[in-house]
Amino acid sequence: MKPLKQLKNALLTQNPVLNQLLGMCSVLAVSTTVSSAFGMGVTVTAVLICSNVFISLLSPVIPQQVRIVSYIVIIAGFVTAAELLINAFFPSLASSLGVFIPLIVVNCIILARDEMFASKNSVPASALDGLFMGLGYTAAIVLLGALREVLGNGTLAGIPVLGSGFRPILMLNFAPGAFIALGLLLALVQKLTARLGQKGE
Amino acid sequence: MTLKKLTSQLRSGSVWDIASRLLTITFLVGLCLAGVYALTSPVISAREEQARQSAMSTFFPGCHFTQISCQAPEVERLYKAEEASQCSGYCALLSVNGYGGNMEVMVAVNADGRVRGVEVLSHSETQNIGSLAAQESFLSRFKGKTADFGLVQAPNVPDENQVQALSGATRSSRAVASAVTAALRAVENLAVAPPTGEEDKLLPSETSALKNWFGEVIARPVDLPAEHGAAVEVWQLHSPTQLVGYAVKTQTVGQNEAFKITTLIGFNASGAVISYEILESFELESFTAALLRDDFRLQFVGRTVPVTTDGGENSVELIPNMEKSCRAIVKAVNDGLQTVAALQGGAAQ
């Protein structure tokens, strides 16, 4: 177990969103505001930790031939539980995440971590992996959410930051704007991590 | 996988092994979900109910609400809003089909049959397109409209009794408009319906309660006597040959001060309590259930004189921690007794 390396991997060099380009659907859809992006990040992190722990725990008894089906069943169980809990205790978050909570089931980050990491590693390492990868996802979606909310609406987490003279770029609130913003963000991150990689060598 | 391989696996038992493991995993996940569901569903439904109540209170501040029966199939529930026993209007709860699925709509109607306000309680319309139909800027266009209003598309300018649809979200606009029309029609029909004296005025819950207590009887509504307390309606119950008893509907305040508990109390011909049924309650679900449990309810059966709570001869025992709710039932029964006594006194004279 190398927690520090795992953390650096998840946040920078192997960030699930910005480097591996996984889970794009929810990143594009739920990043209109910082608060809903953060809610989505926390939910995905929770599901990721739980499913990683359980799949690492159950991997000896899960038959190789039907492992993907088993993973999906377990993930779907946690997502449904998360949806019920959010509906019951965080109604405002439920209305802003809407249909994207059930879609966490098919978020490929979770399936990828379960297949690539949790099924082959110990329970504590898998829990940490879930936490760090979840943080990486949260960081990416919140970053994009902040970009879109500030430029598209002139606010950050609901607080006006750019003054009344600023004319918001309305397109950023819609799907095409989400793609463009994500593209720019990816280009920036690739540039920075490439430089980081060169320095390391 | 070839057939040969499959048969060899079947023979060696590995397919059964895989299937049984998968089944076990699925079963366990299902079991856990059932637990989470049991934990969250009362919270979720209480929250939805609260959202409905607060929407109603925003439309009619300071009023209290009673559910009334409604024939219109589109209307899930219809409430009458009253302030100091003056009817200020109605709230209808409807469920209509939008573009993305079900929309739950609350329509408030003034006593004169015009729209007071509209609120969309839940929907799954497309974000930023259909969802605009759930926002105040669109919903306020319905204010003051009567049942024959029309919906017009963008280039046309709406006149006095028309509402402009949202361009690009026609189906969502239509869904809200259809809910408003249905609510207005339902309220219109209420006004046309004969005011009193009809046997079918009984709600299904009332009919079934009476049937439990008396078997098949004819319920004939009678005028409330002068001293009726919290009673709102009284019926004399007749078999084909004789008077078999009375039923009194009361509305009393429990824990929830804005929404009264509606109780139906049955009395036999000599004026003793037979039983009671709670027709509508906005108390916590567990409170309502406790009020109906035998250990509390049976204390009232057979009473002919008003009950007290002072521990004396005619006293009943209140359920700890929910005294307020219990007192609502005590008052309901006492006012029912008073009403029936007044009726019998009137008949004797």
Side-chain angles (χ1 to χ4, degrees), chain B residues 180-257:
Chain B
V180 175
T181 310
L184 290 171
R185 290 262 152 78
V187 171
E188 225 171 42
N189 288 340
L190 277 183
V192 178
T196 48
E198 253 55 22
E199 280 161 35
D200 59 9
K201 258 199 83 196
L202 289 177
L203 297 171
S205 54
E206 295 168 6
T207 317
S208 76
L210 292 182
K211 206 172 164 186
N212 276 341
W213 300 333
F214 300 99
E216 289 294 344
V217 286
I218 304 161
R220 190 175 297 160
V222 286
D223 289 339
L224 282 171
E227 285 169 10
H228 61 266
V232 289
E233 276 179 88
V234 196
W235 294 270
Q236 278 182 345
L237 308 171
H238 296 268
S239 72
T241 52
Q242 57 178 354
L243 179 76
V244 291
Y246 304 88
V248 180
K249 185 150 106 178
T250 61
Q251 289 185 335
T252 48
V253 179
Q255 187 81 38
N256 184 338
E257 280 166 12

Side-chain angles (χ1 to χ4, degrees), chain B residues 24-328:
Chain B
T24 315
I25 292 173
T26 317
F27 178 75
L28 289 178
V29 169
L31 213 62
C32 296
L33 277 184
V36 176
Y37 180 78
L39 188 79
T40 53
S41 76
V43 185
I44 293 174
S45 58
R47 197 179 288 284
E48 283 169 351
E49 190 55 49
Q50 204 184 4
R52 286 184 205 123
Q53 287 184 21
S54 76
M56 280 163 39
S57 306
T58 335
F59 287 133
F60 295 102
C63 289
H64 59 83
F65 299 91
T66 38
Q67 191 171 356
I68 51 180
S69 63
C70 171
Q71 308 298 327
E74 308 92 342
V75 179
E76 282 185 0
R77 292 194 223 164
L78 187 62
Y79 294 90
K80 188 178 187 180
E82 282 171 315
E83 193 174 9
S85 60
Q86 280 279 312
C87 171
S88 10
Y90 302 88
C91 274
L93 184 71
L94 305 99
S95 168
V96 286
N97 261 328
Y99 183 72
N102 233 22
M103 300 174 85
E104 199 180 339
V105 185
M106 171 83 72
V107 183
V109 184
N110 281 326
D112 65 356
R114 285 176 182 274
V115 177
R116 187 185 184 97
V118 184
E119 186 164 337
V120 176
L121 296 173
S122 74
H123 72 90
S124 40
E125 303 301 287
T126 319
Q127 198 69 41
N128 288 330
I129 302 173
S131 73
L132 300 179
Q135 286 180 1
E136 191 51 36
S137 55
F138 174 68
L139 296 176
S140 62
R141 296 180 192 173
F142 289 95
K143 254 176 215 160
K145 298 286 179 279
T146 53
D148 54 351
F149 82 92
L151 198 67
V152 294
Q153 301 282 351
N156 304 312
V157 181
D159 67 17
E160 188 78 335
N161 208 24
Q162 283 180 325
V163 170
Q164 188 157 36
L166 287 171
S167 45
T170 317
R171 277 177 67 181
S172 311
S173 309
R174 253 187 229 149
V176 177
S178 73
V180 175
T181 310
L184 290 171
R185 290 262 152 78
V187 171
E188 225 171 42
N189 288 340
L190 277 183
V192 178
T196 48
E198 253 55 22
E199 280 161 35
D200 59 9
K201 258 199 83 196
L202 289 177
L203 297 171
S205 54
E206 295 168 6
T207 317
S208 76
L210 292 182
K211 206 172 164 186
N212 276 341
W213 300 333
F214 300 99
E216 289 294 344
V217 286
I218 304 161
R220 190 175 297 160
V222 286
D223 289 339
L224 282 171
E227 285 169 10
H228 61 266
V232 289
E233 276 179 88
V234 196
W235 294 270
Q236 278 182 345
L237 308 171
H238 296 268
S239 72
T241 52
Q242 57 178 354
L243 179 76
V244 291
Y246 304 88
V248 180
K249 185 150 106 178
T250 61
Q251 289 185 335
T252 48
V253 179
Q255 187 81 38
N256 184 338
E257 280 166 12
F259 297 91
K260 292 185 176 182
I261 304 178
T262 308
T263 318
L264 185 72
I265 309 146
F267 298 89
N268 65 19
S270 54
V273 177
I274 291 182
S275 184
Y276 62 81
E277 181 64 52
I278 295 176
L279 298 175
E280 191 181 26
S281 154
F282 294 94
E283 307 295 289
L284 292 177
E285 239 170 87
S286 58
F287 279 26
T288 310
L291 293 177
L292 286 170
R293 264 208 306 272
D294 277 354
D295 48 0
F296 181 69
R297 189 176 56 90
L298 288 179
Q299 299 185 88
F300 295 93
V301 173
R303 302 269 181 182
T304 49
V305 287
V307 298
T308 59
T309 54
D310 56 9
E313 193 188 347
N314 288 321
S315 178
V316 290
E317 224 164 279
L318 303 183
I319 305 170
N321 301 324
M322 45 178 281
E323 284 82 1
K324 266 191 174 172
S325 302
C326 293
R327 281 182 212 282

Side-chain angles (χ1 to χ4, degrees), chain A residues 113-141:
Chain A
R113 292 327 291 174
D114 289 338
E115 166 74 5
M116 279 159 39
F117 196 93
S119 57
K120 297 168 194 148
N121 287 282
S122 68
V123 174
S126 301
L128 270 188
D129 181 70
L131 176 67
F132 294 156
M133 283 294 163
L135 283 180
Y137 174 86
T138 309
I141 191 173

Side-chain angles (χ1 to χ4, degrees), chain A residues 7 10-12 14-18 22-23 26-27 30-31 33-49 97 104 107 109-110 129-147 182 185:
Chain A
L7 180 64
L11 283 178
L12 295 170
Q14 290 289 307
N15 186 295
V17 177
L18 300 173
L22 295 173
S26 58
V27 169
V30 195
S31 57
T33 63
V34 170
S35 52
S36 59
F38 184 71
M40 188 70 181
V42 172
T43 316
V44 168
T45 309
V47 173
L48 197 51
I49 296 173
L97 297 186
I104 297 176
N107 189 323
I109 296 174
I110 300 175
D129 181 70
L131 176 67
F132 294 156
M133 283 294 163
L135 283 180
Y137 174 86
T138 309
I141 191 173
V142 167
L143 201 62
L144 187 63
L147 188 70
L182 180 66
L185 190 64

Side-chain angles (χ1 to χ4, degrees), chain A residues 44-65:
Chain A
V44 168
T45 309
V47 173
L48 197 51
I49 296 173
C50 295
S51 62
N52 261 6
V53 166
F54 267 73
I55 282 164
S56 167
L57 207 67
L58 293 177
S59 62
V61 296
I62 293 177
Q64 182 67 15
Q65 297 92 324

